Amino acid sequence: MAGNKEIDFSYTTMDQIWRKSVGEMADFTGAKYNGDFSLPLEEAQRKKHEFIVENLNIRAGSKVLDMGCGWGPFLNYLRQVGAKGIGLTLSKGQHAACVRQGFEVYIQDCRTVTPSDYGTFDAVASVGAFEHFCSIEDYKAGRQDEVYRNFFKTVSDLLPAGGRCFIQTMVFSEGMIPLENIDINAPKESNEYLMALVVNEFPGSWLPYGKEQIIRSAQPYMRLVNHHSGRLDYIETIKVWRRRLWSFGWNKYLAYLSLAPQLLYDPRMRNRFMNLRIAPIRVAFEREIWDHYRLVFEKV
Ligand SMILES: C[S@@+](CC[C@H](N)C(=O)[O-])C[C@H]1O[C@@H](n2cnc3c(N)ncnc32)[C@H](O)[C@@H]1O
């Protein structure tokens, strides 16, 4: 899996730039437009939160674990509905941002949390963290199913019988290329290059092969009760993010400038700036190399 170091590279290094672009407590995951792409991003993100709360039967007083809580957008929504949220993240920057907002958040690997840590929960949500649970090394060693099975065991142990869990995640789709073809020196328009940019941005992370792998891995512990693709939603979300990332702001541009020394010395950082130009994840969705799912599970 992606550990603290890799997650900090992906999320903490550019944390300030992102927060100044999209908002202090913004969602760092695809919104839910329900087919109406004229909606403002914030409203579409709220629709996602509503969907999760409704599908997990969360109400005032419910105790909810947010696995991979980012800057706390879902914790904030839980606060508004009167539920008690606890968040886990591996990013120092996100943890600090959440603490500033008064959220109860810990830096901890959510894949190994047990009832002895924070007790049990009425519901568990994980929006955009599942992508990081399996590493390339796990995949190569044939351990991907096992990693996901263990995760669902962890979740199941935290829930009562009939308790529900929400997972939102990117997955590989039919167009995914073999790992060994990924190449940062491949032509710029190629899928080989696009995937190399993504691997550079998210070291330590390898996606599940379709929703089927996730559903199969969950089976001993949890059954699927609702799902849909959010691929088009994510394409739209990334379009809005890119406009906001480039929009001018003194503080934001100073934050960009503060990365100059890393840009000089670290080729990984230079490749990340190509991500800002090309948005390889958006292209991966457009070319159907990747898909994106929202999945609701119930403990069996
Ligand atoms: C794409 S961000 C999504 C954040 C937030 N859920 C949202 O929707 O804005 C992924 C999050 O997953 C967290 N994460 C990844 N792997 C994790 C793990 N094993 N344990 C805890 N958090 C993890 C990262 O730290 C980050 O907060």
Side-chain angles (χ1 to χ4, degrees):
M1 72 151 198
N4 301 59
K5 206 165 115 247
E6 290 86 5
I7 291 288
D8 273 330
F9 176 77
S10 303
Y11 293 108
T12 307
T13 340
M14 294 183 60
D15 177 76
Q16 264 204 55
I17 294 171
W18 272 94
R19 278 187 291 110
K20 287 183 194 317
S21 305
V22 295
E24 284 297 315
M25 272 189 282
D27 295 77
F28 204 177
T29 43
K32 188 168 182 296
Y33 285 89
N34 294 339
D36 179 1
F37 296 115
S38 69
L39 288 179
L41 176 63
E42 284 70 20
E43 206 175 308
Q45 293 291 12
R46 192 176 175 87
K47 287 198 180 301
K48 175 179 69 186
H49 301 153
E50 285 167 1
F51 176 86
I52 303 172
V53 161
E54 195 179 306
N55 276 268
L56 297 188
N57 303 318
I58 294 170
R59 42 187 70 89
S62 296
K63 184 180 167 199
V64 183
L65 183 63
D66 185 355
M67 293 179 150
C69 61
W71 301 303
F74 187 57
L75 293 173
N76 190 40
Y77 189 75
L78 289 173
R79 188 185 263 173
Q80 288 166 26
V81 300
K84 176 184 167 56
I86 295 180
L88 303 178
T89 177
L90 289 181
S91 156
K92 284 202 281 279
Q94 292 180 338
H95 174 258
C98 284
V99 169
R100 279 198 298 277
Q101 302 296 341
F103 297 129
E104 184 177 350
V105 169
Y106 304 96
I107 297 184
Q108 183 174 348
D109 180 1
C110 66
R111 303 177 320 152
T112 52
V113 65
T114 69
S116 64
D117 293 315
Y118 315 103
T120 54
F121 292 85
D122 298 307
V124 171
S126 183
V127 190
F130 203 90
E131 286 91 335
H132 304 295
F133 292 168
C134 178
S135 65
I136 291 183
E137 290 67 33
D138 288 329
Y139 165 71
K140 282 184 177 162
R143 284 197 300 262
Q144 196 167 19
D145 276 345
E146 183 190 332
V147 166
Y148 299 147
R149 230 182 0 258
N150 290 345
F151 169 73
F152 281 106
K153 164 96 172 72
T154 297
V155 173
S156 155
D157 288 346
L158 296 169
L159 290 171
R164 287 189 171 190
C165 156
F166 172 82
I167 307 282
Q168 172 166 313
T169 184
M170 300 166 183
V171 299
F172 292 139
S173 196
E174 284 76 30
M176 182 54 191
I177 58 170
L179 168 63
E180 53 279 13
N181 292 2
I182 293 177
D183 182 2
I184 200 74
N185 298 312
K188 299 274 185 282
E189 284 305 308
S190 68
N191 293 346
E192 287 71 12
Y193 177 68
L194 281 182
M195 289 302 99
L197 284 184
V198 179
V199 168
N200 177 75
E201 175 88 17
F202 299 104
S205 301
W206 192 247
L207 296 187
Y209 282 82
K211 64 181 182 315
E212 293 73 17
Q213 182 172 27
I214 306 173
I215 297 165
R216 189 178 65 235
S217 308
Q219 249 163 24
Y221 311 103
M222 311 203 71
R223 71 183 179 93
L224 185 72
V225 291
N226 196 355
H227 76 281
H228 58 263
S229 168
R231 186 177 68 88
L232 299 180
D233 287 328
Y234 224 132
I235 291 173
E236 180 60 25
T237 305
I238 295 173
K239 279 185 192 160
V240 180
W241 281 347
R242 273 163 59 81
R243 280 201 297 274
R244 296 197 185 172
L245 274 170
W246 289 120
S247 70
F248 183 75
W250 281 109
N251 287 340
K252 186 178 24 171
Y253 274 58
L254 282 176
Y256 274 121
L257 261 182
S258 73
L259 295 177
Q262 290 179 61
L263 278 173
L264 275 179
Y265 297 113
D266 187 348
R268 293 178 314 161
M269 284 304 286
R270 287 198 290 278
N271 283 326
R272 288 186 85 175
F273 269 73
M274 290 307 286
N275 276 22
L276 291 178
R277 279 186 51 199
I278 295 177
I281 294 182
R282 190 197 74 204
V283 183
F285 285 135
E286 285 169 350
R287 293 186 187 173
E288 300 196 41
I289 305 170
W290 288 15
D291 205 334
H292 177 258
Y293 278 96
R294 302 195 182 95
L295 306 147
V296 181
F297 291 95
E298 189 169 273
K299 178 167 171 173
V300 291

